[in-house]
Amino acid sequence: MPPPPIDWEAVKTALEGIETIADRNQCQKLSSDYHTFSPILVPQLADKVADLVVRPANAAEVRRVAQVCAQWRVPLTMRGAGTGNYGQCVPLAGGIVLDMTGLNQVLWVEGGVVGVEAGAKLAAIDKITRPQGWELRMIPSTYRTATIGGFIAGGSGGIGSITYGQLRDRGNVLALKVMTVEEEPRLIELRGREVQKVNHAWGINGIITEVELALAPVYPWVDVVVSFADFMQAVRFSQRLSQEDGLVKKLVSTHAWPIPSYFTALRPYLAEGSHCVLLIVAAAALRGEMPGGSGPLQDLVADFGGTIVYQKSAPSKTHQASGKSINLIEYTWNHTTLHARTLDPNLTYLQTLFPADPGLRLIEHLYHHFGDEVMMHLEFIRVNGTAIAAGLQLVRFTTADRLAEIIRDHEDHGVFVANPHTYIIEDGGRKQMDPQQMAFKTQVDPYGLCNPGKTRALG
Ligand code: FAD
């Protein structure tokens, strides 16, 4: 039997006591994300708006929303902070957008592990765990606004991934609690390898309500910018530093000119035409910094012909920040694209992964091959124990056909492309749906209500 038409008045009555937003402008705002970086996605997603936004304050309220959606067959799209890049939380079929930011408690911190509610912002989690000597192992550059649930369902890695790999790597996400979308919703706990059922599933298979994460020890971190006259020397330095086991770091972010020209606040430190590497390293890497002294990082920089042009210690309880207040994190990962697009809205980007290549020949070839049309932005990450370059290249957009050609050209050269210009999971990084995630979907979302339209596997 076809489902009854949605009686929105009955739905609203059933949700009484839970915060709801029906105002069209607000619904529009809360139905969008940063797919605006893609000239392909903008027209495709322009008219997709939720009928209602619901903002539960606790798991009991989440349960009630899930129940009502199952009863009335209301499409349900989860939303954290809406910083995703591929329309991940855009409600293609309307219905309810479930804003999870009300579930924002850090529940406990114990022995290097934290338990949090899914709507907690990443920076807010660190604020609680850092005084105890622990911090998140990896964060996206949107860590000030993004939620942990959104990061796990929609993100992959970021600052910290050079040491701890990505979210999908064993041992980073320890457990998840997931609410099913049924007439009698259940709360399922996933632990160990089971977390992969939901990790990076874009919220198509249940509502994450709680997360348990392994943490990293906090070091006295220092932001450093190194300038290079030659781009490939910058890349060689980046790869070498990424592989130096004795130098503790959480960011190695490499940018070919003219990308540094988009970093307005950093411009006083970056000479015209120069390339740069943005780093966050433990302070020990710079010891020996007294006049005439040289620390291990300075030695490495010298070996590759670079120059340290900027340095700032992170503030701590005993130690105030020195130098100008620039948050280096917010120049890296997809914040690079954000800064560039602020100055030139015709720019867009790619998401790529280079194969392990000690000689870095492919990067060098593609750097020259595309010239100014595709500008090299590399983020070094650890994959299966090896440091490799992930690219978030900036592209001067001309036409959809040319963008597709650029993507194909990368793939033909053996570069993996997670196409950020599609809202279909299989057409992005996945290529095909994970059968384990699809099997889990049939258990937790029997009516196919969660984030409909995002996977081709369901038609
Ligand atoms: P949202 O965008 O709200 O949601 C993302 C996905 O998760 C959606 O499919 C949504 O339905 C689902 N979801 C949200 N909450 C839940 C829940 N509780 N249960 C089930 N599903 C849920 N990403 C990276 O990985 N690394 C980066 O360094 C990075 N840098 C970025 C920089 C910029 C400037 C921008 C705009 C984006 C960047 N991103 C990055 C993408 C994005 O910021 C991250 O993936 C972020 O963690 C998403 O969190 P969010 O709370 O905004 O999630």
Side-chain angles (χ1 to χ4, degrees), residues 32-37 62 76-90 98-101 103 117-122 139-143 145-159 161 166-167 177-179 198 200-211 329-330 332-339 349 351 379 392 425 450-451 454:
S32 194
D33 66 4
Y34 281 81
H35 67 272
T36 43
F37 285 8
V62 172
L76 177 66
T77 304
M78 274 62 84
R79 177 186 171 92
T83 65
N85 288 119
Y86 335 114
Q88 285 168 311
C89 67
V90 173
L98 188 69
D99 178 333
M100 293 295 290
T101 53
L103 277 81
E117 289 188 315
K121 289 188 194 311
L122 301 169
I139 50 172
S141 59
T142 47
Y143 76 108
T145 47
T147 65
I148 186 64
F151 186 36
I152 290 170
S156 53
I159 296 97
S161 286
Q166 295 181 284
L167 283 169
K177 283 188 185 164
V178 180
M179 188 76 75
V198 172
H200 205 70
W202 291 32
I204 64 159
N205 56 8
I207 309 165
I208 303 169
T209 59
E210 275 181 41
V211 178
I329 285 176
E330 291 178 356
T332 67
W333 289 82
N334 229 356
H335 264 80
T336 305
T337 316
L338 182 74
H339 285 288
Y349 73 116
Q351 287 184 151
E379 297 287 346
L392 286 153
I425 302 180
C450 290
N451 211 352
K454 299 291 166 63

Side-chain angles (χ1 to χ4, degrees), residues 96-126:
I96 286 179
V97 159
L98 188 69
D99 178 333
M100 293 295 290
T101 53
L103 277 81
N104 55 17
Q105 297 302 304
V106 176
L107 302 168
W108 49 266
V109 188
E110 207 180 288
V113 180
V114 68
V116 291
E117 289 188 315
K121 289 188 194 311
L122 301 169
I125 299 171
D126 268 354

